[in-house]
């Protein structure tokens, strides 16, 4: 079955650490996206990529980094520069029309 | 920036009743989409309506779009307890652009 897989489901980070969230899709979609979701805030776009080896900042890119070396993969690194990283992170992909979302990674700073 | 704004923020209804959720937006769009999110899960795409369409149906879902008023509505008929979830509208300005989501509506369907 085609889909988009995020891992891990839960992630705990100590202050000052970088952590990387994985996002893999086998839908052959060109575009991929990372969103952050906080309670009552809806989804905010962190980074997006419309093609391999290219990506663009979204609305809240500070403290995050991404890479797009393969069409199937779009990992997100939450760096120590992100001061409030505790949130639910959602990855999505699209070709045209609707987005397909992963099941999310809940990141908590301990 | 969030363009779509859903109304109401929360809705509680009895099973079997219809649920109507509204979305307003500010700038021109190519299409508008509705998504559903169960607690702690990813979003699921429900329906897409293009700017040249006025109404679209999918099963128990009915979506309308009024581009002159920059608004859309999602109607869920004969609601079920399993429809309990958050619902988001998302606007798509056009090619090579990305979706912008509203803050969502929390729907509770009481058995």
């Amino acid at each position: 079955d085609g889909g988009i897989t995020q891992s891990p489901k839960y992630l705990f980070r100590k202050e000052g650490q970088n952590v990387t969230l994985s996002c893999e899709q086998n839908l052959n979609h060109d575009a991929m996206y990372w969103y952050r979701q906080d309670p009552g805030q809806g989804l905010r776009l962190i980074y997006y990529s419309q093609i391999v080896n290219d990506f663009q900042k979204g609305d809240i890119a500070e403290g995050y980094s991404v890479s797009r070396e393969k069409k199937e993969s779009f990992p997100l690194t939450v760096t120590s520069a992100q001061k409030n990283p505790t949130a639910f992170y959602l990855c999505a992909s699209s070709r045209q029309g609707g987005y397909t979302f992963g099941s999310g990674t809940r990141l908590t700073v301990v | 920036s969030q363009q779509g704004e859903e109304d109401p923020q929360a809705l509680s209804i009895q099973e079997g009743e219809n649920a109507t959720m509204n979305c307003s937006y500010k700038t021109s769009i190519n299409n508008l989409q509705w998504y559903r999110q169960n607690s702690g899960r990813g979003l699921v795409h429900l329906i897409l309506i293009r700017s040249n369409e006025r109404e679209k149906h999918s099963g128990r879902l009915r979506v309308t779009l009024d581009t002159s008023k920059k608004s859309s509505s999602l109607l869920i008929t004969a609601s079920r307890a399993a429809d309990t979830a958050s619902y988001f509208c998302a606007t798509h300005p056009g090619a090579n652009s990305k979706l912008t989501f509203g803050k969502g509506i929390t729907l509770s369907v009481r058995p």
Side-chain angles (χ1 to χ4, degrees):
Chain A
D1 286 338
I4 184 164
T5 303
Q6 289 186 242
S7 62
K9 191 172 176 65
Y10 299 97
L11 187 57
F12 298 90
R13 188 195 95 168
K14 292 182 180 178
E15 289 197 18
Q17 276 185 339
N18 292 355
V19 290
T20 298
L21 283 60
S22 170
C23 179
E24 303 276 334
Q25 55 102 355
N26 60 3
L27 299 164
N28 200 33
H29 287 171
D30 289 313
M32 297 187 75
Y33 312 83
W34 274 105
Y35 289 89
R36 170 181 172 140
Q37 186 177 31
D38 295 281
Q41 292 272 355
L43 277 69
R44 293 184 289 170
L45 183 65
I46 305 172
Y47 267 99
Y48 65 103
S49 168
Q50 293 181 319
I51 197 167
V52 176
N53 292 322
D54 185 52
F55 49 83
Q56 307 293 330
K57 291 182 179 179
D59 300 316
I60 54 164
E62 186 174 350
Y64 300 98
S65 66
V66 293
S67 63
R68 186 86 188 277
E69 297 175 1
K70 299 187 299 182
K71 189 175 188 178
E72 300 80 16
S73 179
F74 191 40
L76 173 74
T77 296
V78 184
T79 74
S80 56
Q82 171 49 240
K83 297 307 176 191
N84 185 23
T86 294
F88 190 51
Y89 292 86
L90 286 161
C91 179
S93 69
S94 73
R95 178 180 289 167
Q96 45 184 301
Y99 286 17
T100 301
F101 280 84
S103 56
T105 293
R106 188 165 299 278
L107 173 63
T108 304
V109 173
V110 296
Chain B
S1 58
Q2 291 177 316
Q3 172 165 221
E5 286 192 16
E6 295 96 341
D7 169 61
Q9 290 187 334
L11 181 61
S12 181
I13 59 173
Q14 199 73 35
E15 200 166 30
E17 294 179 339
N18 295 342
T20 299
M21 292 168 270
N22 303 301
C23 172
S24 60
Y25 58 93
K26 298 188 176 96
T27 62
S28 62
I29 60 170
N30 175 275
N31 66 71
L32 184 144
Q33 304 176 27
W34 284 91
Y35 289 78
R36 165 197 168 120
Q37 184 182 33
N38 287 78
S39 181
R41 306 295 298 274
L43 277 70
V44 174
H45 180 255
L46 295 176
I47 198 163
L48 180 155
I49 186 164
R50 301 189 190 285
S51 60
N52 60 353
E53 298 175 310
R54 292 296 166 258
E55 187 171 312
K56 207 161 180 182
H57 296 254
S58 176
R60 293 184 296 114
L61 305 180
R62 173 178 165 247
V63 169
T64 61
L65 178 65
D66 186 336
T67 53
S68 67
K69 294 182 180 177
K70 291 187 168 60
S71 68
S72 173
S73 68
L74 170 67
L75 169 68
I76 303 175
T77 59
S79 64
R80 305 166 182 168
D83 294 327
T84 295
S86 293
Y87 292 82
F88 294 85
C89 76
T91 54
H92 196 275
N96 298 323
S97 57
K98 61 279 185 201
L99 282 182
T100 302
F101 287 83
K103 293 186 178 182
I105 297 170
T106 301
L107 173 65
S108 298
V109 181
R110 303 185 301 274

